Amino acid sequence: MFTCRAWFVALAAFGVLIVLPEASAQGSKPEASPGGRKPSDPAAVSRLLADIKARDRGQLAVSEEDGRFLRLMVASSGAKRALEVGGASGYSAIWIGMGLRSTGGRLVTLEYDPIRAKELEENVRKAGLSDIVQVVAGDAFAQIPRLQGNFDFVFLDAWKRDYKRFFELVYPRLDREGLFIAHNVVNKRSEMGDFLDVVQKHPSLWTTIVSPSGEGMSVSLKR
Ligand SMILES: C[S@@+](CC[C@H](N)C(=O)[O-])C[C@H]1O[C@@H](n2cnc3c(N)ncnc32)[C@H](O)[C@@H]1O
């Protein structure tokens, strides 16, 4: 039988990903979740996401379409141990957290800026995701070696010139069949040529580039 992950792998092998628009942040009613986790109120989460976007003067947050894509990747891959590098005020962490609610997984999100790290924690709480998303404040280069265990889903959205170094730090701790997704690989391609070279030529990765909203994400599956 083809699992969701097998379908993803098959599509990625041909460099094809189909992203369908969805109706709301979580659909019309709260989703059932494993382990008796409290579902979030979808309307409240949609309002919160819109509010984070409205306050995002530096335009740090991923686009809504990219957020939907991240949730879909988490849910379809069955990810359980997710890592985000560059959490800002929590927009992408909330989308990833909603995917993890359906898989029973957890996210550690790392944010360097102390003010943004506080907003991130507060927004995660408002989204009803504090049981799923752990915020770690500080420099991810220093914090990642302190985290326990491996990851099966990594989302990289820190400063673009650091991407190759972050990939090298995290790759040994990425599970086989784990996903490594990096943001802005289309609109900021010139700042991360070295990283793209590595993931696109790596013998143990299948990598494809998708661009739901023009910012672009590299999606790499560890073989
Ligand atoms: C583009 S924003 C992230 C946006 C976020 N993913 C979202 O969609 O809401 C990049 C963030 O990475 C953080 N950052 C950059 N370098 C970092 C590092 N070495 N460790 C932790 N955070 C870092 C910045 O402070 C900034 O808030």
Side-chain angles (χ1 to χ4, degrees):
M1 191 181 78
F2 259 130
T3 61
C4 287
R5 180 183 288 276
W7 277 113
F8 168 76
V9 168
L11 288 168
F14 290 100
V16 175
L17 275 167
I18 301 162
V19 184
L20 295 174
E22 300 164 56
S24 72
Q26 284 197 291
S28 58
K29 56 181 183 181
E31 292 167 4
S33 56
R37 287 172 168 189
K38 188 165 65 86
S40 312
D41 171 12
V45 175
S46 286
R47 282 195 300 275
L48 174 64
L49 287 168
D51 185 56
I52 296 171
K53 273 275 178 205
R55 290 165 188 269
D56 183 23
R57 297 216 169 75
Q59 299 194 315
L60 295 177
V62 302
S63 68
E64 181 178 343
E65 271 314 302
D66 290 4
R68 291 181 186 283
F69 178 82
L70 290 170
R71 178 175 68 173
L72 190 148
M73 283 292 97
V74 167
S76 62
S77 67
K80 289 277 195 326
R81 295 173 309 281
L83 175 73
E84 177 180 55
V85 186
S89 303
Y91 190 82
S92 50
I94 291 171
W95 282 106
I96 293 168
M98 288 192 285
L100 291 167
R101 184 175 290 293
S102 73
T103 68
R106 288 181 191 282
L107 168 70
V108 175
T109 177
L110 301 156
E111 174 50 48
Y112 182 81
D113 181 276
I115 295 171
R116 284 201 281 270
K118 279 214 170 94
E119 285 171 6
L120 170 53
E121 192 142 32
E122 180 62 7
N123 286 330
V124 163
R125 187 191 63 72
K126 286 182 186 164
L129 291 167
S130 299
D131 56 335
I132 293 174
V133 180
Q134 181 194 352
V135 176
V136 175
D139 183 353
F141 284 114
Q143 296 298 337
I144 289 170
R146 294 188 188 146
L147 300 174
Q148 299 286 312
N150 279 8
F151 311 106
D152 56 9
F153 184 96
V154 177
F155 179 55
L156 176 56
D157 193 18
W159 303 141
K160 310 310 157 188
R161 296 196 189 280
D162 291 334
Y163 272 26
K164 181 165 172 277
R165 282 176 64 211
F166 273 123
F167 172 77
E168 287 165 353
L169 182 62
V170 170
Y171 179 79
R173 295 173 61 189
L174 181 66
D175 286 347
R176 277 188 64 196
E177 305 290 302
L179 289 172
F180 189 100
I181 301 183
H183 198 245
N184 299 113
V185 304
V186 171
N187 66 342
K188 296 190 178 168
R189 184 185 175 84
S190 61
E191 296 173 41
M192 57 175 81
D194 53 353
F195 163 77
L196 285 171
D197 230 37
V198 170
V199 291
Q200 289 181 309
K201 293 182 182 157
H202 201 292
S204 301
L205 291 177
W206 283 350
T207 296
T208 189
I209 304 237
V210 298
S211 192
S213 66
E215 294 169 349
M217 285 172 275
S218 61
V219 182
S220 302
L221 180 86
K222 188 169 182 179
R223 306 294 303 143

